[in-house]
Amino acid sequence: MQGLSLNTMVLNNSLFNYLLALLFLLIVYGVIKLFDRFILARMNLLIKKFSTSFAILLRKIIKKRAYPLLYILAIYLAVHQLSVVNRAARFINYILMILTVILTVLALLDLLVYSLKKYWQKRQQSYEQQKLLGATVFLIKTLVWIIAALFILDNLNIEITGLVTGLGIGGVAIAFAAQNILTDLFNYITIFFDKPFDIGDFIITGDYKGSIEHIGIKTTRIRSLSGEEIIISNTDLVNSRINNYKRMQKRRINFSFGLTYNTSLEKLKKVPQLVQEIITSLDKTEFDRAHFAEYASSSLLFQVVYYVTDSDYKLYMDIQEQINFALKEKFNQLGIEFAFPTQTIYLANQSEQILNQEVSTVENSRGEN
């Protein structure tokens, strides 16, 4: 009996080819075991210092996604070292391709869902936002799996042009049927990610103003200053201009007051410095300017500009009230009076004109007589 050699043929393959195929499997198995024992644990400890949840995710992706992909690669290389019937070879390649796509999609979805959830956790989650997270994850998974299925069908040499066309027409029909709902949903997503306002912010949009109480999937609710609830669709909000006063870092205040015309020049010159001292003595204020602006119809008009380094409207009103009280107190001490609308009628001149007219009338009457 002739001895076995590496060139001995078994089922149309030499023993050398079988050994080479087995070698690929053993190498991949050995690499995975070495990585799992000496590298993965240390890498896991390092990543846990920054994020425990990401370390758990990475370990899951490596053990459940990457390791099977390596085994699939090893089987693919092993099969290509052997002479296999064409149909069997194609079947094996198709199975390996499908498994590769599935494992790759699962890994990508793991990363994507993890990123979305971490992003959501950084924000205060309402019940609607939690539902939106679930709906968003479902839509993303559906879209990714549809793309993966089309990719698999295309690689299986199945004609997908008609299928893609049908999906496109169906998608357009669904989009038209649910146009308003989808518009509000996408605008809610825009509000959620762009963050033009948050709950509690005081905003003005068009003719409406108030504090944000609730941001829903379809509408946003605003509590107006007079107390009623204003419900505005998200589409209207996204398409309108919004003044968000809560995000104002500091408030610019411009106010004026008038003094009487009999105020002396010496006292007028003291007023700007007096106003500056009052404003700078208060907390959370920045003085800008104070000037004798103009000779108004019934007053000597002063204009003042300062900043409140806080967006709170009540704080601004408290500061303005303190300034008004201080101005009144200081002006009383200096004998300066605030002006108010007045009209001076010179009765003496009018009486003299009337008297002259009466004298002229009497003289004219005598002359005629």
Side-chain angles (χ1 to χ4, degrees):
M1 183 175 179
Q2 190 177 3
L4 294 176
S5 67
L6 293 178
N7 294 324
T8 302
M9 302 298 293
V10 178
L11 298 176
N12 296 325
N13 291 283
S14 65
L15 291 179
F16 176 78
N17 290 336
Y18 284 116
L19 290 175
L20 191 60
L22 180 61
L23 181 62
F24 280 118
L25 295 174
L26 291 176
I27 289 175
V28 171
Y29 178 79
V31 169
I32 290 175
K33 287 300 180 183
L34 290 173
F35 182 86
D36 194 56
R37 182 171 182 178
F38 297 103
I39 300 178
L40 183 60
R42 291 180 175 82
M43 185 177 67
N44 196 44
L45 289 175
L46 179 63
I47 297 175
K48 273 187 177 180
K49 294 180 180 179
F50 303 96
S51 175
T52 303
S53 59
F54 185 73
I56 295 173
L57 172 68
L58 188 61
R59 187 178 183 87
K60 172 188 174 182
I61 291 176
I62 291 174
K63 295 182 81 66
K64 294 185 177 182
R65 314 291 187 234
Y67 286 173
L69 281 173
L70 288 176
Y71 283 124
I72 290 173
L73 176 63
I75 294 172
Y76 176 81
L77 295 174
V79 169
H80 277 69
Q81 301 305 315
L82 303 174
S83 297
V84 186
V85 179
N86 288 337
R87 289 185 179 179
R90 284 200 302 270
F91 178 76
I92 293 172
N93 288 336
Y94 288 153
I95 294 298
L96 294 178
M97 182 268 296
I98 293 172
L99 292 175
T100 301
V101 171
I102 291 174
L103 290 171
T104 303
V105 168
L106 288 174
L108 290 175
L109 287 177
D110 287 339
L111 289 171
L112 189 58
V113 172
Y114 172 82
S115 301
L116 282 174
K117 288 183 177 179
K118 291 297 288 185
Y119 183 86
W120 240 266
Q121 288 174 0
K122 293 179 181 178
R123 287 160 172 76
Q124 184 179 2
Q125 294 189 37
S126 64
Y127 178 68
E128 285 78 10
Q129 290 173 343
Q130 292 176 355
K131 290 195 300 184
L132 178 62
L133 173 60
T136 303
V137 170
F138 175 76
L139 289 175
I140 291 174
K141 285 184 176 181
T142 302
L143 180 62
V144 171
W145 281 117
I146 289 175
I147 295 173
L150 293 175
F151 177 81
I152 291 173
L153 292 175
D154 185 56
N155 281 272
L156 292 176
N157 297 322
I158 298 175
E159 182 62 38
I160 63 171
T161 305
L163 179 61
V164 172
T165 303
L167 289 174
I169 295 174
V172 171
I174 294 173
F176 272 114
Q179 183 177 4
N180 293 333
I181 297 175
L182 291 176
T183 300
D184 286 329
L185 176 61
F186 286 129
N187 284 322
Y188 172 74
I189 295 174
T190 299
I191 292 173
F192 181 82
F193 285 102
D194 191 48
K195 289 293 181 183
F197 49 79
D198 293 307
I199 293 176
D201 289 3
F202 184 88
I203 68 168
I204 295 179
T205 173
D207 297 330
Y208 307 105
K209 55 185 175 181
S211 299
I212 301 294
E213 280 196 341
H214 174 78
I215 304 174
I217 293 178
K218 183 173 176 58
T219 62
T220 294
R221 299 172 189 173
I222 301 174
R223 182 66 63 181
S224 71
L225 293 176
S226 55
E228 73 271 16
E229 185 180 64
I230 303 171
I231 302 175
I232 305 177
S233 70
N234 293 330
T235 302
D236 291 340
L237 280 176
V238 171
N239 293 331
S240 64
R241 293 184 179 180
I242 299 174
N243 295 340
N244 192 334
Y245 283 89
K246 190 172 182 180
R247 296 184 182 178
M248 182 169 51
Q249 295 181 350
K250 60 181 181 180
R251 186 186 296 268
R252 184 178 185 272
I253 311 301
N254 186 347
F255 76 97
S256 59
F257 59 87
L259 303 181
T260 57
Y261 264 89
N262 61 5
T263 306
S264 66
L265 177 61
E266 180 182 359
K267 292 180 180 180
L268 287 177
K269 290 182 178 180
K270 293 181 181 180
V271 171
Q273 181 63 31
L274 179 63
V275 173
Q276 181 177 356
E277 291 175 356
I278 291 173
I279 293 176
T280 54
S281 66
L282 300 175
D283 293 333
K284 295 188 175 183
T285 59
E286 293 179 2
F287 177 79
D288 184 37
R289 62 182 177 84
H291 293 97
F292 173 31
E294 62 175 303
Y295 293 94
S297 59
S298 59
S299 67
L300 303 174
L301 189 66
F302 283 81
Q303 287 186 347
V304 181
V305 176
Y306 70 97
Y307 294 91
V308 177
T309 58
D310 195 296
S311 62
D312 187 1
Y313 185 80
K314 183 177 181 299
L315 176 63
Y316 147 63
M317 289 302 299
D318 290 340
I319 291 174
Q320 185 63 49
E321 183 183 56
Q322 295 180 57
I323 293 173
N324 292 338
F325 285 152
L327 286 175
K328 179 66 175 175
E329 180 181 0
K330 294 294 184 181
F331 286 176
N332 286 343
Q333 294 174 1
L334 295 174
I336 299 175
E337 296 181 354
F338 287 104
F340 52 88
T342 57
Q343 183 177 9
T344 303
I345 300 175
Y346 295 96
L347 296 177
N349 292 340
Q350 293 180 358
S351 299
E352 184 177 346
Q353 292 175 1
I354 294 172
L355 179 61
N356 291 333
Q357 291 177 358
E358 291 178 349
V359 171
S360 298
T361 301
V362 171
E363 290 178 352
N364 292 333
S365 298
R366 290 177 180 178
E368 293 176 355
N369 293 331

